[in-house]
Amino acid sequence: MAKSSSNKDVKHQAQKLGGKAYEKELRKLHVELVKLQEWVVAKGLKVCIVFEGRDGAGKGGTIKAITERVSPRVFRVVALPAPTEREKTQMYAQRYLGHMPSAGEVVIFDRSWYNRAGVERVMGFCTEEQADKFLAVVPLFEKMMVDSGILLLKYWLEVSPEEQTRRLQDRINDGRKLWKLSPMDLKSYTRWDDYTRARDAMFVASDSSWAPWFMAHSNDKRRARLNIISHLLKHIPYQDITGEQVAKLPKRGKIGKYKAVAYPFKMVDQRF
């Protein structure tokens, strides 16, 4: 029986989710995310969501799926560039502290302080000693976050080497996606095993009871997005208060009392 169930799961994952089914389920989840948003604002919750994973694993697309129907004033995405020379001299976590959520905010980190355990370690931007010290301290750092009232969720997106190759090659071939492919992506592409080793060390050190890691297989990006959104909705308790806030539109009032000025507007060409 166990073998049959396993085969069924493999077959399920092999069949990629179609566009119509995906949009149908995503629409339902977007409604729930709006309910979550209103609850977060009303109750002053502080939510922090961390996305890590291999290059091409689909972090950006997942974050976009989460945020495309909610308010950017509540759901704030943080994607920090490489540290400046000044930031390199600061305490490592210092550049992240100013981006932590205040009451009524959901902050999503598109890569985070775990850069030190991943890309910095693998690409030689920090020493092994610095990486080890980071891994020793990060559980305490996250305990401080949680104890301050922050709801912390950490997701790792995992993709197969074959699917990663296909996606990175697609970025080269598609002019709309070239901006997604950095010189660092090309350098790190050759270091699959090094990233696996760094990932495993990171999990062992920082998969704590107060800030556990959750892994999502993302060879099928659509399934991964739906699964992650469903998961975070289950892990942030909320209630639907949207019905209390929605009212009928008021009467507009009479139109036409004011006559618009015949101003020579510069019009956009109607090419389409």
Side-chain angles (χ1 to χ4, degrees):
M1 291 294 292
K3 184 177 180 180
S4 174
S5 176
S6 177
N7 290 340
K8 183 178 180 181
D9 290 342
V10 170
K11 183 179 179 181
H12 174 73
Q13 290 299 325
Q15 296 174 340
K16 291 199 172 183
L17 189 64
K20 288 185 178 180
Y22 169 70
E23 291 296 338
K24 179 181 179 181
E25 294 302 321
L26 185 61
R27 183 182 180 88
K28 296 176 186 176
L29 293 174
H30 280 160
V31 172
E32 295 305 313
L33 283 170
V34 170
K35 295 176 184 177
L36 171 64
Q37 170 183 274
E38 299 308 300
W39 183 257
V40 165
V41 172
K43 298 301 178 180
L45 300 185
K46 297 179 290 184
V47 181
C48 181
I49 305 173
V50 168
F51 280 99
E52 294 287 345
R54 298 184 186 272
D55 293 328
K59 297 180 293 297
T62 301
I63 292 171
K64 182 179 179 181
I66 293 170
T67 59
E68 63 183 346
R69 294 293 180 177
V70 291
S71 170
R73 292 186 293 274
V74 179
F75 280 73
R76 181 160 53 86
V77 179
V78 177
L80 298 183
T84 64
E85 291 302 315
R86 179 175 182 273
E87 287 172 332
K88 288 177 183 179
T89 69
Q90 295 175 345
M91 179 180 69
Y92 177 70
Q94 189 170 337
R95 69 193 299 245
Y96 297 99
L97 291 174
H99 297 281
M100 292 299 169
S102 300
E105 285 188 329
V106 179
V107 172
I108 300 175
F109 280 92
D110 184 356
R111 294 203 182 276
S112 65
W113 45 95
Y114 283 101
N115 273 345
R116 174 133 296 182
V119 64
E120 289 189 17
R121 180 173 217 166
V122 173
M123 303 306 295
F125 297 145
C126 72
T127 65
E128 285 295 308
E129 182 183 9
Q130 287 174 320
D132 288 339
K133 285 184 176 179
F134 166 79
L135 290 177
V137 170
V138 72
L140 302 177
F141 173 65
E142 292 175 350
K143 186 70 162 60
M144 178 183 69
M145 291 173 59
V146 172
D147 287 348
S148 73
I150 293 175
L151 298 172
L152 177 60
L153 288 171
K154 302 186 302 189
Y155 292 103
W156 176 273
L157 275 65
E158 185 66 25
V159 67
S160 70
E162 297 79 13
E163 181 62 15
Q164 183 191 56
T165 297
R166 189 195 68 77
R167 292 179 186 176
L168 295 181
Q169 185 62 52
D170 183 52
R171 293 179 183 180
I172 295 174
N173 298 336
D174 190 337
R176 300 169 299 173
K177 300 178 182 178
L178 273 175
W179 65 271
K180 293 184 176 183
L181 193 65
S182 69
M184 189 56 56
D185 294 332
L186 298 177
K187 290 181 181 178
S188 19
Y189 174 71
T190 63
R191 304 189 182 184
W192 179 273
D193 283 352
D194 292 337
Y195 271 100
T196 302
R197 187 179 298 109
R199 179 204 66 189
D200 291 349
M202 182 187 75
F203 280 1
V204 169
S206 60
D207 186 24
S208 61
S209 59
W210 54 87
W213 278 103
F214 297 101
M215 178 182 282
H217 290 283
S218 62
N219 275 10
D220 185 336
K221 291 191 287 188
R222 289 170 178 165
R223 289 190 192 279
R225 292 168 190 170
L226 298 179
N227 288 333
I228 289 170
I229 296 173
S230 298
H231 185 275
L232 73 86
L233 286 168
K234 288 181 180 178
H235 281 75
I236 308 174
Y238 68 97
Q239 297 178 21
D240 181 10
I241 59 173
T242 55
E244 303 170 10
Q245 302 169 342
V246 178
K248 293 181 179 179
L249 288 174
K251 291 183 179 180
R252 188 191 292 274
K254 189 174 181 181
I255 296 176
K257 289 184 178 179
Y258 170 76
K259 298 300 181 183
V261 176
Y263 188 81
F265 293 106
K266 298 175 182 66
M267 302 300 296
V268 174
D269 296 337
Q270 297 188 42
R271 299 175 57 192
F272 302 98

